[in-house]
Each structure stands twice: as structure tokens, then as C-alpha cells.
Amino acid sequence: MRRRDLAALGLASIAPRIARAQDPWPNRPIRLVIPFAAGGPIDTVGRLIGERLRDRLGQPFVIENRTGAGGSIGLRSVVQSPPDGYAFVLTSSSLAILPAIYANLGFDPRSDLTPVSLVAEIATTIVVRADHRFASLQALVEEARARPGTVTYGTSGIGSSNHLSGAMLAATAQIDIVHVPYRGAAQAMNALYSRDIDLVFASTVETLSHAREGRARILAITTAQRIPALPDVPAAMETVPGYIAPNWFAIAAPKGLPTPILDRVSAELAALRTDPDFRSRFERLGAEPLMSAPGILTARLAEDVPTWQRVAAAAGIRPE
């Protein structure tokens, strides 16, 4: 075979690879890993975001619920995925908590992922039964001080953001309240109604319907200020100065995500922030859509990881 023919054959063999390398992104379905069970608050938000990004990018976002180990199993699957724009993770502020809970996490959320966007700030609520003796957070704090170790609070599990929110309240208010973990917020709310516990820490997504139906009373929220969905409910820091327990949702990708893809996803998310219907659906959940630039998530992680490490250490929550 002549050299010219060989050269032509060689070019023909690499042409498909060149074409594939130049294929526009995205050209196939994209995985959106949610490291928590289906039906929870972050799953609700994830499906809403997936629908909107599908419409804007022209490819389906396939929701993949990969649960376990406080969300670290799902996160690890994304850390280990190729940085090709076909795997993202939607997670919560547990991303900043995991290093305080797991000694052998196997990755550092600050350096082993590509931050894409803070998606939303979501309020954690401190909720009691509608007929509970606690009519306010102040009443709860006063009883906890008078009777240390007798007030109990339920959460969705050891090491969850809600658990750490309760631990932070105890440390800030200098009270002794007892944590009772459950498999999820629904189980914690059932225990509340069964009078097994005094209160629950859970997000607005999980408690607003209970309060609106008159079965539960929200004493306070853990954000820095009141929110539109609950204008009459005080921020906890109005009673306990300095107490803010941040709870947020964020999107990240494998480390090394190409800048053009990062910029495209970030821009599409930012466009959703000003969409009236999108904002309205978020606000009904008690969440504020942020859709921030990647650097904002980077800064939040840098601030929150050491904060939660201090809270866990002070509460005696040991890394497993």
C-alpha cells in the first residue's frame, strides 16, 4: 500500500475521534446525583432544577438517588466520575459537615470537586406539636436551663445538618438538650406527634405543611432573618444572639470540569434565578433561590467546614 494511501487510512481512523472530541456539549443525558433518598426536600428541588435545565440545555437530567453514610456515598461517586460534564451532584450543607463526622471520608469537598453554584438557602425550623407547652423559643431555652438534659429534639440522623443545628443551638444558648436521631424527618415528626420527643429540627420543606395544617408550631428558624414564607416566625437569633445555622443546597461536579462547561451551567442556573415561576416554587418551599457564581460556593465551603468541625468537637460528635 502506498504511503499516501496509508496516510489517508490513518486520517480516516482518527476522524471519528476528532469528531467526538468536537461534539457540542451536551449531546447525551446528564446524571444529577442526589446523595439522599427520593421524596426528601433536596430531591424535590433537584427534580425541579432538572426539569428546567433539560428545557434550557436540550438533554434530560437523570436523577440518581445514591444514599448512605450521610451523603458521602453519592458524593464519592461524583468525585470519581470523569470531568466531562455528564455527572453533577446536588447536595446540601452536609457537604461542609462530612469532614467533621467521617475521619476517613476519602475526599475533601474543598479541593476534590468543582464548585458550580449555591442553589438555595433553606431555613431549618425548630418545631413542636401545636399543643406543646413551649409557646416560644425563649420558653424552650428557659426550661432547658432550669432542667438540663430533659428537653429532647429529633432529627433525620446523627451527623445530619439538623443534628449539628441542634448542637450549635445548645452551644450558643448554653443549654443541655438531648439529641434523638431518626431515619428521616418524617419519622422524627411521627415521634413528635407520639410525644416521644419535645421538638424537631427539620427544613421548611419538611415542616411547613404540618404548620399550615395546624398540627405543629414553628418556634423559630435558624437563618439570619425571617423569610417570606413565614413572616410571623422569628429568626432564632432574635432570642439567642449569634445563633445562625446555615442550611443550603449546592451543585458541584468532578474536579477538572472544563471551564466552558462550568460557565455554561453557571449561566443557565443564574438565568433561573430571575424566573418568576421558578422563584415562586422555591419560595413556597421556604427556600431562597441563589444560583450563585462558583466562587460563592467555594467561599462558603471555606467558611463552613471549619465552623462545623468546631461545633462537632464541642458537642463530642466524633468522626467515625
Side-chain angles (χ1 to χ4, degrees):
M1 186 176 293
R2 289 178 299 178
R3 181 177 300 176
R4 186 169 53 191
D5 295 333
L6 286 170
L9 181 61
L11 286 172
S13 69
I14 66 171
R17 294 201 298 274
I18 294 173
R20 284 196 296 272
Q22 294 176 342
D23 281 345
W25 178 91
N27 59 19
R28 56 187 169 89
I30 299 165
R31 282 195 308 140
L32 181 60
V33 175
I34 297 177
F36 302 101
I42 195 164
D43 186 69
T44 301
V45 169
R47 292 176 191 279
L48 174 58
I49 290 174
E51 290 172 5
R52 295 306 177 90
L53 289 180
R54 175 201 63 201
D55 295 342
R56 300 185 71 89
L57 293 172
Q59 290 291 340
F61 275 68
V62 180
I63 303 298
E64 185 177 309
N65 297 96
R66 300 196 65 169
T67 64
S72 64
I73 291 176
L75 280 162
R76 191 176 296 112
S77 75
V78 173
V79 169
Q80 296 171 347
S81 295
D84 57 5
Y86 292 97
F88 293 85
V89 62
L90 173 65
T91 187
S92 69
S93 53
S94 63
L95 183 63
I97 291 172
L98 286 168
I101 304 301
Y102 293 95
N104 300 309
L105 187 59
F107 64 90
D108 187 329
R110 294 166 291 187
S111 59
D112 293 329
L113 288 164
T114 297
V116 174
S117 175
L118 267 177
V119 167
E121 193 92 45
I122 186 161
T124 297
T125 61
I126 304 172
V127 62
V128 297
R129 295 185 308 277
D131 62 352
H132 199 280
R133 63 188 180 279
F134 294 153
S136 65
L137 181 59
Q138 183 63 43
L140 185 162
V141 169
E142 289 175 356
E143 181 166 321
R145 285 177 178 159
R147 301 174 58 202
T150 61
V151 174
T152 55
Y153 72 98
T155 73
S156 53
I158 294 173
S160 65
S161 59
N162 297 321
H163 178 196
L164 272 290
S165 295
M168 182 181 277
L169 175 66
T172 308
Q174 298 183 323
I175 57 177
D176 179 9
I177 54 178
V178 178
H179 177 233
V180 183
Y182 294 90
R183 287 185 174 272
Q187 289 83 353
M189 291 301 294
N190 288 338
L192 183 73
Y193 295 134
S194 298
R195 301 177 184 271
D196 296 328
I197 53 177
D198 291 303
L199 59 136
V200 167
F201 280 76
S203 78
T204 50
V205 178
E206 296 156 315
T207 62
L208 268 177
S209 62
H210 295 264
R212 287 168 175 164
E213 292 166 4
R215 296 187 294 154
R217 181 167 62 250
I218 298 174
L219 301 182
I221 55 175
T222 69
T223 47
Q225 56 192 11
R226 301 187 185 203
I227 60 174
L230 293 167
D232 298 325
V233 175
M237 69 178 302
E238 295 176 34
T239 301
V240 182
Y243 173 66
I244 302 173
N247 188 17
W248 40 261
F249 295 160
I251 291 178
K255 183 178 179 179
L257 182 71
T259 299
I261 296 177
L262 175 60
D263 291 345
R264 175 80 186 279
V265 176
S266 182
E268 297 295 354
L269 288 169
L272 292 178
R273 186 176 61 235
T274 57
D275 182 300
D277 179 62
F278 188 81
R279 289 192 64 87
S280 174
R281 292 177 69 175
F282 261 62
E283 288 167 359
R284 286 199 297 271
L285 298 172
E288 178 189 357
L290 299 176
M291 307 304 174
S292 70
I296 303 297
L297 176 54
T298 301
R300 179 61 70 90
L301 284 170
E303 178 181 351
D304 284 3
V305 168
T307 295
W308 290 123
Q309 287 173 326
R310 289 192 296 271
V311 170
I317 302 170
R318 305 299 180 192
E320 296 180 356

